[in-house]
Amino acid sequence: EFRVIAKNAAGLFSEPSDSTGPITVKDDVDAPRIMMDVKFRDVVVVKAGEILKINADIAGRPLPVISWTKDGKEIEEKARTEIQSTDNTTLLIVKDCIRRDSGQYVLTLQNVAGTRSLAVNCKVLDRPGPSAGPLQVAGVTSEKCTLSWGPPQENGGAEIDYYIVEKRETSRLAWTLCEGELRTTSCKVTKLLNGNEYIFRVMGVNKYGVGEPLESEPVKAQNPFTVPSAPKSIEITSVTKEAMTLCWARPESDGGSEIAGYIIERREKS
């Protein structure tokens, strides 16, 4: 608390002034503030290959520490990413945007008076990412099979219009078309060659183009069953001049398919 008393040359003192009242000793500080254009309140949309720029005016005393994060991880300056900051402004630049640059960008300011954050959501329009795997191959026979998969987790900012399904033999490099405009996430593939090994792949398509492929593991076109093992313990009983009875035990293995019947042959010993 302060007051002032005047003293003249004769050494006489005046009455004291009014008191200032209580004054608390403290630093002159202001909490951080972020000022952004209203356009950043909506989702910021950029096309693949374009530049994303997010800028803000900033204030605070003492000068706040500036940090940028994306989806909870601190942004590091790399070949495509640049952060330009002064005492009063900050600017985030992402060049040659790709699909995975979509997400939430957060600007955070911090000083002794507090912390302030502001989030900006961004969507990059691009071709779809790979379909959700695995690419499952079921019902395999010597000439057909059924494929199934999930829609891409990253659709590139547009609805998936259809899927392209292709196959190739593992002994070849060229892919051949199975389905060109499939609207579902499963399909039946026919006209496989018995004994050949195949790889299948599927690609989602949106209005920006054909997405990244999802490939299957190699699969051999063959029936899921094989020949049965030989019958066992054949015995001859009840022999007469004109007839005899044969008995035997069932094969140990039916080859994966129920025994439908038996073939019986004979030959003269000579």
Side-chain angles (χ1 to χ4, degrees), residues 225-244:
F225 42 81
T226 183
V227 297
S229 59
K232 296 171 63 178
S233 308
I234 187 165
E235 291 182 7
I236 309 293
T237 61
S238 306
V239 180
T240 68
K241 286 192 296 180
E242 297 178 344
M244 60 184 75

Side-chain angles (χ1 to χ4, degrees), residues 2 51 67 71 95 108 153 159 170 224 230:
F2 299 90
I51 297 175
S67 67
D71 300 330
K95 303 170 186 172
T108 301
Q153 291 180 326
E159 291 296 313
T170 53

Side-chain angles (χ1 to χ4, degrees), residues 46 63 71-72 79 97 116 134 145 164 180 223 241 262:
V46 295
L63 291 175
D71 300 330
C97 281
R116 179 83 172 95
C145 67
I164 296 171
N223 290 318
K241 286 192 296 180
Y262 295 92

Side-chain angles (χ1 to χ4, degrees), residues 121-143:
N121 292 304
C122 173
K123 180 189 284 187
V124 178
L125 304 180
D126 197 0
R127 301 176 303 153
S131 297
L135 177 48
Q136 294 185 322
V137 186
V140 180
T141 72
S142 60
E143 55 184 28

Side-chain angles (χ1 to χ4, degrees), residues 58-90:
I58 59 175
R61 192 182 309 169
L63 291 175
V65 175
I66 301 167
S67 67
W68 286 92
T69 61
K70 178 184 179 289
D71 300 330
K73 294 182 180 178
E74 187 155 356
I75 296 173
E76 298 177 2
E77 293 198 61
K78 295 180 180 175
R80 295 190 304 110
T81 309
E82 189 178 335
I83 298 171
Q84 299 175 1
S85 298
T86 68
D87 291 350
N88 310 111
T89 63
T90 184

Side-chain angles (χ1 to χ4, degrees), residues 212-232:
E212 297 175 36
L214 169 71
E215 291 191 9
S216 73
E217 294 295 322
V219 176
K220 197 168 191 176
Q222 60 185 11
N223 290 318
F225 42 81
T226 183
V227 297
S229 59
K232 296 171 63 178

